[in-house]
Amino acid sequence: MKELLIGLNTISAYGLCGAAGFLLGTGYLFFITRVKDGDFDDLFYTYVWAALGAVVGAKVLYVLLALPDIVRIVGSGETDWRPYLGSMVSGGFVFYGGLLGAVCAVKTASRYFSLDYVKTLSLLTPAMPLAHALGRVGCALVGCCYGKETGLCIGISYANSMYAPNGVRLFPVQAMEAIADLVIFGALVYMLLKKADDHERAGIFEKYLVMYACARFLLEFLRGDLARGHLGALSTSQWISVIILLSIGIRSGLKRNGWGCCKSR
């Protein structure tokens, strides 16, 4: 695909994909509560909380990463800094911030609705990569989170993107991440269907984190945008991925050696 023409308004195109992802996630919840023991209404209400938490968390982390630029622009005395701050509010999200926000919202909703947090999070987990996959399709449509310049035939170029360089063939990293999310979604659903009880399903979210962190770490090398922030040779998302993998690895090692979360020696 040599050229991707953006015929939709950039905000509505991304919003349309986000809404489609939410609806697909709802369809998954309907399916999983029919084949596994679960109440659709309770799970759906928690899903709505998770979606709102994801939006807030993703925006907060985006703003935090952009703080140095915000301080520089406001402090420079430029008269046109307000449009920049307006664009910060209207667009820009960081997935890992959204993931943290969603988990916090699930925790809060579980307490509010008197639900089992581990069971609820386990059943909701596959909806996260499913909705995220559609979100990445939205990224591909508007040109944000774009890939590096490439000479490969699978490269895409934009005609009037507000984010990606126009007229340059770019690696379709957004589409690659969408595919990775769909593969993760399928793997998680398969694992959920195989698990017989809540105890066996308790590690589903952790497995999701491992699979996504690995995929995200590798895909970040194909990204061409600089808005996501860097620290040394790695991007912010790569550092978060490394921290997630190390944390889960250390926790698993402690469990294998008989160290429970509340044990001490």
Side-chain angles (χ1 to χ4, degrees), residues 37-251:
D37 53 323
D39 183 272
F40 174 77
D41 290 339
D42 286 340
L43 206 59
F44 176 73
Y45 292 141
T46 308
Y47 180 52
V48 172
W49 282 48
L52 295 174
V55 172
V56 173
K59 173 59 68 176
V60 168
L61 185 54
Y62 178 78
V63 172
L64 288 176
L65 291 175
L67 272 180
D69 288 336
I70 295 175
V71 172
R72 177 181 55 81
I73 290 175
V74 174
S76 66
E78 296 179 12
T79 58
D80 59 345
W81 56 267
R82 282 173 292 183
Y84 173 78
L85 294 184
S87 69
M88 291 288 299
V89 175
S90 62
F93 299 92
V94 177
F95 171 74
Y96 273 129
L99 182 61
L100 178 60
V103 172
C104 291
V106 172
K107 184 75 171 179
T108 303
S110 297
R111 290 180 177 176
Y112 183 81
F113 295 118
S114 300
L115 303 174
D116 185 302
Y117 167 67
V118 174
K119 177 183 177 181
T120 302
L121 181 62
S122 298
L123 292 176
L124 278 175
T125 294
M128 298 179 185
L130 180 60
H132 191 209
L134 269 293
R136 283 309 186 199
V137 172
C139 290
L141 286 174
V142 302
C144 65
C145 310
Y146 56 88
K148 290 185 175 181
E149 185 174 349
T150 181
L152 298 175
C153 60
I154 61 172
I156 59 175
S157 62
Y158 294 89
N160 59 336
S161 173
M162 295 173 59
Y163 309 100
N166 293 298
V168 179
R169 182 174 291 185
L170 305 171
F171 187 86
V173 67
Q174 309 101 317
M176 295 293 291
E177 188 166 347
I179 293 172
D181 276 323
L182 291 176
V183 171
I184 293 172
F185 165 74
L188 292 173
V189 172
Y190 176 76
M191 286 186 283
L192 263 181
L193 295 177
K194 285 185 62 179
K195 305 300 181 182
D197 53 40
D198 295 339
H199 177 73
E200 292 180 339
R201 291 196 291 262
I204 292 295
F205 181 69
E206 199 170 84
K207 290 180 173 62
Y208 164 55
L209 287 179
V210 170
M211 289 188 286
Y212 181 76
C214 290
R216 183 61 180 268
F217 184 87
L218 295 175
L219 287 172
E220 282 289 298
F221 289 114
L222 302 174
R223 289 270 294 263
D225 62 314
L226 300 177
R228 63 199 189 282
H230 277 77
L231 180 60
L234 301 179
S235 69
T236 303
S237 293
Q238 284 177 315
W239 282 114
I240 296 175
S241 297
V242 169
I243 292 171
I244 288 174
L245 293 173
L246 287 176
S247 300
I248 292 176
I250 292 172
R251 183 182 176 189

